Amino acid sequence: GENVEQHPSTLSVQEGDSAVIKCTYSDSASNYFPWYKQELGKGPQLIIDIRSNVGEKKDQRIAVTLNKTAKHFSLHITETQPEDSAVYFCAASTKGGGNKLTFGTGTQLKVEL
Amino acid sequence: GAVVSQHPSWVICKSGTSVKIECRSLDFQATTMFWYRQFPKQSLMLMATSNEGSKATYEQGVEKDKFLINHASLTLSTLTVTSAHPEDSSFYICSASHRQMDGYTFGSGTRLTVV
């Protein structure tokens, strides 16, 4: 089955700096890669996703890049703000909402003033 | 956007009793529901996948007789933790999707504490 590795497990940045979180996946059949933000005591919230036919996607301060050959994808957050502090999870699945998501281990992001 | 409502948000029960958690898709038909368990400072671990009208498929190591999943309609799935024990205390999260969509919508989670 699919295996998703995520690094780093914790990341501390100064407000205004950029944050990068990296994930690798094992199953070449995976073609949908979402990123989720989870605040304490809440369910995961989708912040951005990318499909395998696209190499990069951006939404304001958030961007995701995908390298299918190397089987890795990354989340980039620019101009970080204190409210960006949370746990971030990457995930992977094969096409279709009926297929299960495999999650990475999570990254605790702390944005310091 | 798609919304999934999960209730209750937290529950405390006595050891040996059963607890039911509900997950409803409010504005779309969920052909598939996923149930996850999350322990503190850990990732989401998939417990089971259920397709509407079919029996749930459980992940290895998850007791199907202990975690009963019902997905009788396209908008409602329930997870019942039977004969709960303290080790079942965890954060349970549902996720809903439609087979024609790539996305998954998550509920807000249920904090279960068994005393």
Side-chain angles (χ1 to χ4, degrees):
Chain A
E2 175 65 280
N3 181 51
V4 179
E5 295 188 356
Q6 182 172 347
H7 299 281
S9 57
T10 61
L11 179 59
S12 184
V13 299
Q14 294 292 315
E15 182 180 10
D17 288 349
S18 295
V20 180
I21 303 170
K22 299 182 178 182
C23 288
T24 60
Y25 61 99
S26 61
D27 189 351
S28 57
S30 290
N31 55 14
Y32 175 66
F33 307 94
W35 286 88
Y36 295 91
K37 176 183 181 181
Q38 186 180 30
E39 298 179 332
L40 192 62
K42 298 183 179 179
Q45 294 292 314
L46 178 71
I47 56 172
I48 196 166
D49 58 10
I50 191 167
R51 292 163 179 78
S52 59
N53 59 345
V54 176
E56 183 174 358
K57 183 177 178 180
K58 188 175 181 180
D59 182 5
Q60 299 184 347
R61 297 187 296 110
I62 296 173
V64 56
T65 59
L66 171 65
N67 183 325
K68 287 173 55 180
T69 303
K71 295 198 189 75
H72 66 69
F73 56 113
S74 300
L75 176 71
H76 304 252
I77 305 174
T78 59
E79 300 174 24
T80 54
Q81 302 167 2
E83 51 265 38
D84 294 329
S85 297
V87 178
Y88 291 80
F89 291 98
C90 62
S93 78
T94 54
K95 181 173 175 11
N99 296 317
K100 65 180 182 181
L101 271 175
T102 301
F103 280 85
T105 48
T107 296
Q108 174 73 63
L109 173 64
K110 183 177 181 181
V111 180
E112 298 177 333
L113 296 172
Chain B
V3 177
V4 170
S5 176
Q6 184 174 345
H7 293 281
S9 57
W10 62 271
V11 58
I12 302 173
C13 72
K14 291 185 177 180
S15 199
T17 62
S18 296
V19 173
K20 180 182 285 188
I21 301 169
E22 287 192 353
C23 187
R24 294 181 182 271
S25 56
L26 299 185
D27 48 5
F28 69 102
Q29 293 184 328
T31 52
T32 305
M33 289 276 200
F34 304 89
W35 286 94
Y36 296 85
R37 181 167 50 182
Q38 186 178 33
F39 292 107
K41 298 187 183 299
Q42 293 188 20
S43 187
L44 285 75
M45 298 303 297
L46 182 66
M47 299 174 66
T49 302
S50 72
N51 294 302
E52 185 264 340
S54 302
K55 288 185 178 180
T57 301
Y58 290 81
E59 295 297 302
Q60 192 173 8
V62 177
E63 299 174 59
K64 62 180 181 180
D65 294 330
K66 181 172 185 60
F67 299 100
L68 303 179
I69 292 172
N70 184 284
H71 189 180
S73 78
L74 285 171
T75 58
L76 174 64
S77 178
T78 61
L79 167 68
T80 301
V81 182
T82 63
S83 187
H85 289 95
E87 56 264 32
D88 298 324
S89 298
S90 188
F91 193 54
Y92 292 86
I93 308 169
C94 66
S95 173
S97 71
H98 191 283
R99 67 173 71 88
Q100 294 178 344
M101 297 162 41
D102 283 336
Y104 305 76
T105 304
F106 285 81
S108 53
T110 297
R111 171 72 58 194
L112 170 64
T113 302
V114 184
V115 298

